[in-house]
Each structure stands twice: as C-alpha cells, then as structure tokens.
Amino acid sequence: MDKDQIINVIQEGKYTKVKVALVDIDGILRGKYMHRDKFLSAVDNGFGFCSVVFGWDMEDKDYTNDIKVTGWHTGYGDFDARVDLNTFRTIPWEKDTPFFLVDFKSDKAEDLAMCPRSLLRKVIAQARDMDFTPMFSQEFEWFNYRKTSDSLNEKGYRDVQPLTPGMFGYSILRMSENHEYFNDLFHLLEAFGVPLEGLHTETGPGVTEAAIQYSGILEAADRAVLFKSAVKEIGYRHGIIPSFMAKQTSTLPGCGGHIHQSLWNSTRKENLFYDEKAVDGMSPLMKHFLAGQLKCLPEILPMFAPTINSFKRLVIGAWAPINQTWGHDNRTCSLRVLSSNRKSTRIEHRVVGSDVNPYLAMAACLASGLYGITHQLKLDTPETKGNGYAVKKGLLPTNLWEASQRMKRSKIAKELFGDDFVDHFTKTREWEWQQFSGEVTDWETKRYFEII
C-alpha cells in the first residue's frame, strides 16, 4: 500500500490506537501505543520520543561512562522519531492492532548515528550506489521453557523446566506434542509479515530453530527483530518463555542467529555471487566480499557477539566458530559458502548468535563485504576443509572486553560506521563488561566458598 492507502486504512478502520516501536542498541523493541489521531499527525511531522532509550542499558540503568548523545548532561530531551510507513503490519494476537517501526533523527534532522536501523539504511545506500541489491535472511535457535515471566523471576531464573526433555533434533514427535504453540508460531508470524521457511526442533531440551524467508536486507532485519519479540509474545500466551540467550548452559551447544547473504543486481534478477563458469561457482565479486568479511571480522566482532554470554558460545566443538575461516558447506567455519546454483548461492555468517541486534549484525555483514569489494581484496585466506577448530591462525577475541577494545581502536570500524557510532557502541559494550565484572557468579561460589 502507498501512503494514502495506509492513512485511509487507519482513518476508516476500526482502530482507535496504533503501536509504534524502535530498536535500541541492544536490539530490544521499545515502543508505545498512540491514539489514532496523534499517530496520523505524526506521519508527516514525526513525534518526540525520549532520548533515554539510548542512554540506558537493557535493565534501564543509566550509562555513567561518558555516553555523549544523551544523559543527565543533556537533560534527556526528546529525539525526533519518524514513522516508516513501509513497515506497516497488523498484530494478529492483539486484534489486528496496526504496528509501525520508527527511526530516529538528530536535532539537525539527520539520521541519528546511534540508531541501529538508521545505520543499516546508511550501509544499504552505499550498496545501492554501487548498483547492488543485498538480499538477506536470518535464522534463529532458541530455548523454550514452561514458565511465566512472574514464576521465572520468583525462581531467580533457576531450575526452569524445558518445553521438552532430552536431545531430539528434527523431532516430529516433539513438534506434535506442542502443536498448538508451533502452529501459532508459524501462522501468526505469517500474518504478522514475518514468513518462515521452516520450523523444527534442534538438539537440546526445548530447543527450536526457525528460518525466516529471505528478502531485501532492510525488510530482513525488520523481520528478524520482530520475530524475536513476536515469538516471546506468542509464547507467553501458551505459558512458555522463549529465551534467545546465546549460551544457556556449558553442557549444551549455543543458539545461533546465522545470517544468509547475497548481492543481486538492481532488478533482483541476477545473483552476483554466482559464476557458472567457475569451478567453485564463486564470482570474483563474491570472493572480494568474502575477503572483506574475513578481514573485518575481528575488528567489528561485538556487532556479532554483543554480550558477555555471546563469547561462551564461541568455543571449540560447540557448533560455533572461533577463527577467521571460510569453507564450502563447512559448519565449523565462520563463513560457510554455498555456491551450487544461481538462485541459492550465498554466504552464511555463522559467528552471529541469537542474542544479536539484527540491524547491527546485518549492517556489519554488508559493510565488511562492501569493504572487500571497494578495496578489491584478494581471497588469500585458504579454504578450510574439514575441522575448522584445528586452524590455529586468525583466532577471534575471546571476551567482550577484548573485542570491544579492538573495535574501539579500529580504523576499519570507524571507516565502516563512523566515529560517533563506534564511540557510542563500544562504550555500551564496555558498560556491559563493567556490570558483569562487579557480580559474584554461581561458578565462583561453587569453586571458592568452602575450598579456598
């Protein structure tokens, strides 16, 4: 629908309220309900949204480490929020309430550097200037537990019951056992504009994997963000708590949020990654893109692994990579190349966990690939055949502090995303590390309480 059609739907429909939301630096939806009349007045002129959403962490604690864009030193005024009418959809589990995503503008009417969705749109514009159409999709793994948010909090997030017992990947039995939940996921997500390619159980108690249908990159990121929130909202209605933590326990594999990516021409008719004359099916453009991603990976790792917990997943033998590696259909590598035919040739970025901000992760994927094309980088890294964990070169940073400090100092990161974003984002990751460092963990208590 065009602008006039959307406005007419809102004006003439049964709706008295509209839900709007933005995504903060952690990838969390922050939003509110607006009266229909207020929303319609904001379509052309925007509306004020408190800047605190970029001044606090996921627990609403104010950053105290010199965040420049907002804080007590700015008085926490409003940012200018702009509705993106292209994101219009209705929420089927809320009586088809209209829903829209918004972007932030600065006081100079420019895209706000810290706004994740605006950052992605900036990188997309670079791709379009190069006559590329990025086509992306994301897949998620997550755990499901039989709890409500109240009971989960009461138990201190311990001793929670998985939706299903045991290790049973691709289980028809387990899907059937919980068919009402899984049917709702599939059909309600479709009605919400987040269509799935597939949905199945993964190995691990209560673990599920879903692949979202591919699309243009901005729509793919929108779908990924809305997927995570929608799964939680639908789960609540079934007495189920979905969790997208990257690593739930040391005894089980972590949860991936792998991103599939390809570049097409402006008409979306030609996959520019595929070369039918090449033995490996890879075009020179794809090799430049891949080389750029490999080179930039350790410089921008926090955009793929943004939490303390992210790095507990990136360990040997846990179905997640640990180094700068690539290989054809190799799931032990950071970048898995699939190049068997024109339609499906793509790169799967396997460093990405389910805890990421999809806008930042996709912006990082695309920007680093374009870096390789712009600089005509050669794919000098040899293909990994067999066990990628055996490759001892190009090991990635092993914790959030190390990764954040590398990104903070990185000339490449600043070239890709600008000084303002890198400064803000890395300070938020430093904050996350500082919050963790002051806590006493269960591991410490078990290890030191009696023995030491």
Side-chain angles (χ1 to χ4, degrees), residues 89-107:
R89 63 232 310 136
T90 59
I91 308 172
W93 56 92
E94 288 191 15
K95 298 181 179 179
D96 290 326
T97 297
F99 177 91
F100 295 86
L101 289 167
V102 302
D103 299 314
F104 269 147
K105 299 288 184 180
S106 70
D107 56 5

Side-chain angles (χ1 to χ4, degrees), residues 376-396:
Q376 293 290 286
L377 297 184
K378 293 182 179 180
L379 187 57
D380 294 329
T381 304
E383 178 187 356
T384 296
K385 297 181 180 180
N387 186 4
Y389 298 119
V391 178
K392 302 306 179 183
K393 294 183 179 180
L395 294 176
L396 300 175

Side-chain angles (χ1 to χ4, degrees), residues 29-251:
L29 278 179
R30 306 273 189 172
K32 59 184 178 181
Y33 292 107
M34 298 176 68
H35 190 276
R36 173 180 57 197
D37 295 340
K38 172 67 175 177
F39 172 81
L40 291 172
S41 71
V43 168
D44 290 322
N45 303 315
F47 62 96
F49 204 117
C50 184
S51 62
V52 73
V53 293
F54 286 110
W56 62 21
D57 66 11
M58 64 182 70
E59 290 187 334
D60 292 5
K61 292 181 180 179
D62 299 289
Y63 296 125
T64 58
N65 56 340
D66 192 29
I67 294 294
K68 296 177 182 178
V69 66
T70 189
W72 297 116
H73 63 287
T74 69
Y76 280 126
D78 283 349
F79 283 149
D80 181 21
R82 298 289 175 144
V83 178
D84 186 344
L85 292 179
N86 292 322
T87 64
F88 173 49
R89 63 232 310 136
T90 59
I91 308 172
W93 56 92
E94 288 191 15
K95 298 181 179 179
D96 290 326
T97 297
F99 177 91
F100 295 86
L101 289 167
V102 302
D103 299 314
F104 269 147
K105 299 288 184 180
S106 70
D107 56 5
K108 298 179 182 179
E110 300 170 344
D111 286 345
L112 188 71
M114 298 78 196
C115 175
R117 195 167 188 270
S118 296
L119 181 75
L120 177 57
R121 289 197 292 107
K122 179 180 177 181
V123 180
I124 293 171
Q126 296 171 3
R128 287 176 178 164
D129 287 343
M130 300 167 74
D131 291 328
F132 301 140
T133 300
M135 301 294 289
F136 276 51
S137 68
Q138 192 161 8
E139 60 184 51
F140 288 101
E141 299 163 343
W142 75 97
F143 280 67
N144 297 284
Y145 297 99
R146 294 190 184 278
K147 285 291 173 187
T148 65
S149 54
D150 287 339
S151 62
L152 186 67
N153 187 59
E154 290 170 2
K155 276 186 165 287
Y157 299 88
R158 295 184 178 91
D159 301 322
V160 289
Q161 179 187 353
L163 181 62
T164 56
M167 310 288 279
F168 206 167
Y170 298 99
S171 171
I172 297 299
L173 180 62
R174 296 292 185 241
M175 294 285 279
S176 178
E177 181 181 359
N178 298 279
H179 66 92
E180 292 182 351
Y181 171 54
F182 290 118
N183 284 340
D184 267 1
L185 285 182
F186 209 95
H187 297 303
L188 291 178
L189 285 167
E190 175 91 27
F192 190 45
V194 186
L196 301 183
E197 283 190 353
L199 183 68
H200 64 86
T201 65
E202 256 290 359
T203 186
V207 184
T208 307
E209 178 176 330
I212 305 171
Q213 289 185 17
Y214 84 99
S215 62
I217 183 172
L218 184 60
E219 175 64 22
D222 288 344
R223 289 176 177 180
V225 165
L226 296 176
F227 170 86
K228 292 175 70 174
S229 183
V231 167
K232 294 172 186 177
E233 293 182 38
I234 295 168
Y236 293 161
R237 285 157 174 76
H238 291 269
I240 293 169
I241 296 286
S243 174
F244 290 87
M245 272 183 62
K247 187 78 167 181
Q248 297 282 333
T249 171
S250 61
T251 60

Side-chain angles (χ1 to χ4, degrees), residues 11-29:
Q11 284 178 330
E12 304 300 327
K14 58 184 178 182
Y15 319 107
T16 57
K17 67 181 185 298
V18 175
K19 183 181 277 189
V20 297
L22 57 93
V23 177
D24 70 10
I25 205 71
D26 287 298
I28 299 167
L29 278 179

